[in-house]
Every structure is written in C-alpha cells, then in structure tokens.
C-alpha cells in the first residue's frame, strides 16, 4: 500500500489529491449532464424538482459521510502504525455496519419522500416530479452508501487512484443511460424524470459489484476471505468509535445539508424562476468546491497515517501545505466563473430564460465565500484526522445556524432576495475564523481514534525527501562487523 508518512509533503499531497479531484469532477459532470437533460427536455419545473430532491439526497449522503470518514481515519491510523490486524478488524466491523445502515436509510427515505418534500415547501408544479425522482434515488441509496464507504476505505490505505477509475465507470454509464431512460430512445422505456434517477441506480449497482470483484482479484486488505468472515461480527470498541467519532462528522455534513435545505426553502418562496436560477448556480458551485474537497480528502488521509506513525510534526506541515493549495485552487475557478457568467450558466438555462440574470446575480454574491470555505475545510480535515470531531461540528453549527440563516432572515426584509445571497460569504468567513482558531489553539494534537502504537520510532521526517534508509543500514552493518574484525586481529 502507498506510504503517506514519508517523502515530500507538497508533491505527495498533490499526487494523492489529483485522483480525488478527478473523481469529484466526474461526479459533478454527471450531475451537470443530468441537469442539462432534465432542464432542456422536461423544463424548468423538472429542474426545480431535481434541485429540491438532490438537497435531500445530499442530506442522506452527508449522514453517511461521518461514518465513512471515521472508518477512513481508523484504517489510516492503523496503516500508519503498521498494525494490519487492527486494520482488518476495522474493515470487518465497518462492512457489517454499513450494510445495515444503508438498507435502513433506503427503506425509510422511500417511505417518507412526500413528507420530506412538503416540509421543504417544494413548489406545487415541481412536487410530482420530485417525488418520482427521489423515490428512485432512495432505492439507489444502499448502493451509493456502500460505494462511498469502499472508496473512502481505499483512500485510508493511501490509494486514491482505484476509486477514480471506478468513478469513471459509474459516471460513464450514468451519462449514457440518462437520456436513453428519460426519452425512451430505442428499446429503453420512457421514464421521464424517474429515468434520470434510474440511470444512477443502475450505474451505482454495476460499478459497486465490479469494484468488489477487482479488490478480491488484487488481494486487497479491504476485502475479507474465507477464514476472515468472523471479522464481520462487530467489534464493539470499533463500532463505538464509528458512532461516537463518526456521528459528529456526519452531523456536520447533515448540519450543512439541512442549512442548504433551509436556504432552498427560503429561495422557493420567491418563485420557480428564482428556484431554477439557484439550482443552476449551485451546479457551478460544486466545481468551485472540488479542489478544496479533494485536498481535504488528501490531507485527512495523510494526517491519519502520520498520526498513526506518531509524526505530529509532519501533520502540521501537511496542514500548512493544504491551506496554501486550497486558497490557490479555490480562487482560480471562482475568478474564471465570475468572468465567464452568463455564458457558463446557459448550459443549464436557456438563453432567453428569465432565470438567467437571477443566476448571474446569485454568483456575484456567493462565489467568493468558497475561498474561505476551502481553507476552513483543510483545517477541519487535519483536526478530524486525529479524532477531535466535536469542535469542527460546533464551528459549523455557529457559522450556519447562528450566522448564515438568521442573517438571511434579517437581511431579506431589508435587501430583498439579495439578502439571502449576501449571507453565504459571511457565513463562510465565520467558518474559516472558527476552524483556524481551534487548529491554532485547540487540544486536537492529543486526540486519537484508535489506541495504536507506532511500529517504529523514526527521526522527524523533513518533509522534503525520502529518509536515507540505505545510509543508516550501512552504518549499522559497519558497527556490527567492527567487533568481528577486532577478534580476527587478536592472536
């Protein structure tokens, strides 16, 4: 498995993050392609339906994020400590746990779909399509959950390339099947908006099966073989860590998703054109966030392995490099999209749509806050990699539910709908200030997810190159041979 505890930090971080970024790009292109087909074939009401339904889907995926991240961190710390037995225990318990959770969420979500959409205040003209779309998405949820878990587990071992290759497969299948199932082209059934969700279901299921077969063929540590199936019996210490460390991280994503749902409900009050504009602008925001999300995944995996190896000095250098790259690679797409509006928005909205100028205005307010978000994401990723999971959650609660949403409600009567957009960057700046404050002054450096002990104690890694192992071995060999030579000289 790749070793993230040695070597040049900047280069390792970028090489690890690039496949993650590629995966994020593929998934976002997939979502954008689906939105393009839905909006241009089925109309703005259908796009509003998918925008509302996707907020629920992201909420459900956010609930699983913390659990997958907890598993990722525990695997990373075990691998960093060279403790393969503990890593196998984590994998077995996590696999059993995710099978149960994913099936439960899918069944419960499908049953509660109308109630959830009504609570969001989904526009009446979009409600029927949203129900049809979301029910199929919930049917796909078990496969999406488990696919996410397997990808995160691979990153915990230091492998970010294999998830990218299989994401390429699932996105390719989804993009091809989407128009075929929406329009009923050729032998395919005409499913309308439900066809878009069915394409996701088929693609996720087939790709998950292919990924598991691949891991068995490669004899990966992540799959269990005959003689190891007893590891599926949960280790309650590991399950406890999954829950008590994973749930706060999951709550953080749920807090974010609930805030997005709440903002969507505020936007919905301004009519279908504003809702469609918001949905189109949000498609671009996913691309702006992707570099920071990829770097955050890389930073978390690197930090977890180095925590397990006992190299806290290297963890802090990883954080500094991550923040620098997050600032740089978040600012570039923000500037590009700002300069390219409204042309890029026409991919999601017709050129004569009344929603188009609204979407341009939304971006002029909201885009800049993603630079703050990207930097904050790195600080939170490093802190979480040690097992300190509550402070990032509290920071997110404050920035979203104490600052962003109340500020939006206060500004809206004064500024109109522009008050909603202004609340976004102010909330993101608050997130950055709180995340940096805890990173700088908090007690996260003493936290641990697993009681592992580093396999060996090395000199601190400089972070600029591989340790000089060969020279150290040569010195040790010379010292061992010296007594023997002295004995040969003695009569």
């Amino acid at each position: 498995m790749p070793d993230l505890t040695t070597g040049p930090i900047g280069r390792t971080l970028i090489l690890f993050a690039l496949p993650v970024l590629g995966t994020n790009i593929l998934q976002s292109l997939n979502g954008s392609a689906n939105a393009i087909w839905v909006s241009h074939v089925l109309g703005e009401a259908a796009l509003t339906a998918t925008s509302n339904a996707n907020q629920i889907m992201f909420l459900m995926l956010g609930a699983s994020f913390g659990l997958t991240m907890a598993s990722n961190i525990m695997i990373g710390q075990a691998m960093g400590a060279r403790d393969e037995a503990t890593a196998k225990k984590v994998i077995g318990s996590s696999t059993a746990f995710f099978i149960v959770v994913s099936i439960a969420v899918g069944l419960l979500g499908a049953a509660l779909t109308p109630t959830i959409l009504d609570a969001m205040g989904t526009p009446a003209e979009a409600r029927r399509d949203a129900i049809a779309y979301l029910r199929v998405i919930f049917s796909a949820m078990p496969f999406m959950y488990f696919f996410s878990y397997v990808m995160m587990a691979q990153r915990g071992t230091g492998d970010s390339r294999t998830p990218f290759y299989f994401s390429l497969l699932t996105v390719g299948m989804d993009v091809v099947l989407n128009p075929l199932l929406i329009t009923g082209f050729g032998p395919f059934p005409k499913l309308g908006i439900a066809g878009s969700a069915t394409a996701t279901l088929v693609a996720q299921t087939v790709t998950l099966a292919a990924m598991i077969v691949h891991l068995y063929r490669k004899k990966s540590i992540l799959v269990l073989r005959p003689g190891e199936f007893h590891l599926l019996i949960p280790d309650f210490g590991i399950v406890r860590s999954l829950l008590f460390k994973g749930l706060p991280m999951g709550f953080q994503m749920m807090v974010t998703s609930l805030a997005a749902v709440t903002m969507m409900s505020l936007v919905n009050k301004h009519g279908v054109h504003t809702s469609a504009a918001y949905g189109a602008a949000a498609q671009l925001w996913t691309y702006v966030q992707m570099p920071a999300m990829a770097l955050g995944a890389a930073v978390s995996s690197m930090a977890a392995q180095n925590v397990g190896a006992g190299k806290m000095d290297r963890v802090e250098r990883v954080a500094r490099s991550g923040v620098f790259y997050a600032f740089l690679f978040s600012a570039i797409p923000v500037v590009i999209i700002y300069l390219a509006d409204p042309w890029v928005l026409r991919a999601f909205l017709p050129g004569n749509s009344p929603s188009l100028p609204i979407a341009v205005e939304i971006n002029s307010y909201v885009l800049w806050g993603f630079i703050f978000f990207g930097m904050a994401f790195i600080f939170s990723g490093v802190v979480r990699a040690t097992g300190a999971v509550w402070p990032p959650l509290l920071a997110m609660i404050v920035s979203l539910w104490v600052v962003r949403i109340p500020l939006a409600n206060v500004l809206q009567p004064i500024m109109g709908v522009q008050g909603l957009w202004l609340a976004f960057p102010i909330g993101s700046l608050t997130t950055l200030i709180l995340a940096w404050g805890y990173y700088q002054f908090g007690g996260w450096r003493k936290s641990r997810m697993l009681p592992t002990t580093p396999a060996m104690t090395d000199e601190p890694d400089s972070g600029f190159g591989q340790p000089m192992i060969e020279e150290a071995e040569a010195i040790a060999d010379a010292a061992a041979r010296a007594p023997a030579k002295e004995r040969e000289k003695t009569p």
Side-chain angles (χ1 to χ4, degrees):
M1 292 294 180
D3 185 2
L4 305 180
T5 64
T6 60
I9 289 174
R11 180 174 178 272
T12 303
L13 184 62
I14 294 298
L15 290 178
F16 190 96
L18 282 175
V20 182
L21 178 59
T23 301
N24 293 345
I25 290 174
L26 288 172
Q27 292 173 343
S28 295
L29 285 173
N30 184 32
S32 298
N34 295 351
I36 289 170
W37 278 107
V38 168
S39 64
H40 287 277
V41 175
L42 302 175
E44 289 187 3
L47 178 62
T48 300
T50 59
S51 297
N52 279 261
N54 283 337
Q55 294 291 348
I56 303 301
M57 181 181 71
F58 297 146
L59 174 63
M60 295 297 100
L61 290 175
S64 74
F65 168 82
L67 300 173
T68 59
M69 179 59 75
S71 179
N72 171 297
I73 292 170
M74 286 193 285
I75 292 171
Q77 289 186 7
M79 297 299 291
R82 308 294 190 267
D83 188 348
E84 186 172 324
T86 299
K88 275 287 189 181
K89 288 181 181 179
V90 173
I91 292 161
S93 296
S94 299
T95 299
F97 186 79
F98 273 95
I99 290 173
V100 173
V101 170
S102 61
I103 293 174
V105 169
L107 294 174
L108 186 63
L112 296 177
T113 291
T115 303
I116 295 170
L117 291 170
D118 289 342
M120 285 181 63
T122 303
E125 53 267 55
R127 184 180 183 275
R128 181 179 177 182
D129 282 345
I131 291 174
Y133 181 87
L134 191 56
R135 276 190 165 146
V136 180
I137 286 295
F138 272 118
S139 299
M141 197 65 70
F143 305 100
M144 297 170 74
Y145 263 30
F146 205 73
F147 185 73
S148 174
Y149 157 65
V150 176
M151 286 203 305
M152 292 290 281
Q154 289 176 85
R155 291 171 185 167
T157 66
D159 179 12
S160 62
R161 294 184 181 182
T162 301
F164 168 72
Y165 297 140
F166 282 96
S167 292
L168 185 61
L169 174 61
T170 191
V171 169
M173 291 181 61
D174 202 342
V175 168
V176 171
L177 289 173
N178 219 279
L180 299 178
L181 293 173
I182 290 175
T183 62
F185 181 82
F188 292 90
K190 184 177 181 180
L191 301 177
I193 196 170
S196 179
T198 303
T200 300
L201 170 61
V202 174
Q204 289 279 343
T205 304
V206 172
T207 306
L208 176 61
M211 181 186 289
I212 292 173
V213 170
H214 170 79
L215 292 175
Y216 268 106
R217 292 184 64 185
K218 292 295 183 181
K219 298 180 180 179
S220 170
I221 191 176
L222 295 175
V223 291
L224 303 178
R225 294 171 181 80
E228 296 178 332
F229 291 141
H230 66 279
L231 295 174
L232 289 171
I233 300 173
D235 180 303
F236 290 104
I238 292 172
V239 172
R240 183 178 182 276
S241 291
L242 276 174
L243 291 173
F244 285 92
K245 299 293 186 179
L247 286 178
M249 289 187 283
F251 287 151
Q252 182 172 342
M253 295 300 293
M254 291 181 69
V255 163
T256 304
S257 296
L258 282 171
V261 169
T262 302
M263 293 299 289
M264 188 81 224
S265 66
L266 294 176
V267 172
N268 285 337
K269 295 177 181 179
H270 293 271
V272 70
H273 294 307
T274 302
S275 296
Y278 183 82
Q283 288 291 328
L284 296 179
W285 301 345
T286 60
Y287 294 99
V288 175
Q289 295 177 78
M290 282 190 300
M293 299 289 283
L295 286 165
V299 162
S300 291
S301 296
M302 286 186 68
Q305 284 202 12
N306 282 281
V307 167
K311 297 183 176 182
M312 294 304 295
D313 60 316
R314 184 175 169 89
V315 171
E316 300 208 24
R317 288 196 296 275
V318 168
R320 289 195 294 269
S321 294
V323 169
F324 169 75
Y325 287 125
F327 171 80
L328 180 65
F329 295 133
S330 296
I332 290 173
V334 164
V335 173
I336 291 174
I337 292 174
Y338 182 76
L339 295 176
D341 272 349
W343 307 106
V344 289
L345 285 166
R346 291 187 179 181
F348 311 104
L349 295 167
N352 60 352
S353 170
S355 300
L356 188 61
I358 301 173
V360 172
E361 182 183 50
I362 293 171
N363 276 341
S364 68
Y365 281 90
V366 174
L367 278 175
W368 307 102
F370 289 108
I371 299 175
F372 307 137
F373 163 82
M375 298 168 69
F377 197 78
I378 300 299
F379 286 126
S380 296
V382 171
V383 166
R384 283 196 302 260
T386 65
V389 295
W390 285 101
L393 170 62
L394 296 175
M396 192 63 67
I397 290 173
V398 170
S399 61
L400 293 178
W401 292 95
V402 178
V403 176
R404 177 179 292 177
I405 292 175
L407 187 63
N409 283 292
V410 169
L411 293 178
Q412 188 174 356
I414 302 172
M415 301 177 59
V417 72
Q418 290 83 2
L420 299 180
W421 318 142
L422 184 60
F424 277 90
I426 296 175
S428 297
L429 179 59
T430 304
T431 305
L432 174 59
I433 293 171
L434 294 174
W436 172 83
Y438 183 74
Y439 171 83
Q440 192 70 26
F441 305 109
W444 60 274
R445 294 166 182 83
K446 297 180 180 179
S447 182
R448 292 294 181 273
M449 190 81 79
L450 284 175
T452 54
T453 302
M456 62 185 70
T457 302
D458 297 328
E459 291 297 321
D461 187 351
S462 66
F464 295 102
Q466 293 285 353
M468 297 182 180
I469 298 174
E470 294 179 358
E471 288 81 352
E473 290 177 347
I475 293 171
D477 289 343
R481 287 195 299 269
K485 290 181 179 180
E486 291 296 329
R487 288 194 298 271
E488 289 175 1
K489 293 178 182 180
T490 302

